[in-house]
Amino acid sequence: MNVRIGVSDTPKELEVEMADETDVEALRGQIEGAIAGGDTVLWLADRHGRQVGVPAARIAYVDLGPTTGGPRIGFGA
């Protein structure tokens, strides 16, 4: 599963590839809690165990979607 996060005042978005067995509802709750003011930083762990932190106040949008299986082509690859 991929999580794409838009950050305010930044033209690029963050993309975190989560483990396939990620609980979508729990992840959505974690994101909603961070945006609502419960946390100052949203921390996510990708499928390789790396930690990614995003300031919750700077989150513009979040896109939860399936992992794309094919190769990425283009300037953003």
Side-chain angles (χ1 to χ4, degrees):
M1 139 182 264
N2 280 346
V3 177
R4 293 185 315 159
I5 302 172
V7 181
S8 299
D9 301 322
T10 304
K12 294 185 179 183
E13 59 189 18
L14 299 172
E15 187 168 345
V16 181
E17 188 174 343
M18 307 293 285
D20 292 333
E21 63 273 357
T22 299
D23 182 1
V24 177
E25 293 303 319
L27 177 60
R28 185 178 299 147
Q30 179 184 359
I31 293 167
E32 288 175 357
I35 292 173
D39 300 323
T40 55
V41 177
L42 171 65
W43 286 100
L44 300 174
D46 73 359
R47 70 178 330 140
H48 302 290
R50 291 180 293 231
Q51 298 285 318
V52 177
V54 181
R58 307 272 307 206
I59 296 174
Y61 65 88
V62 178
D63 178 27
L64 302 176
T67 303
T68 56
R72 297 180 64 185
I73 300 172
F75 292 105

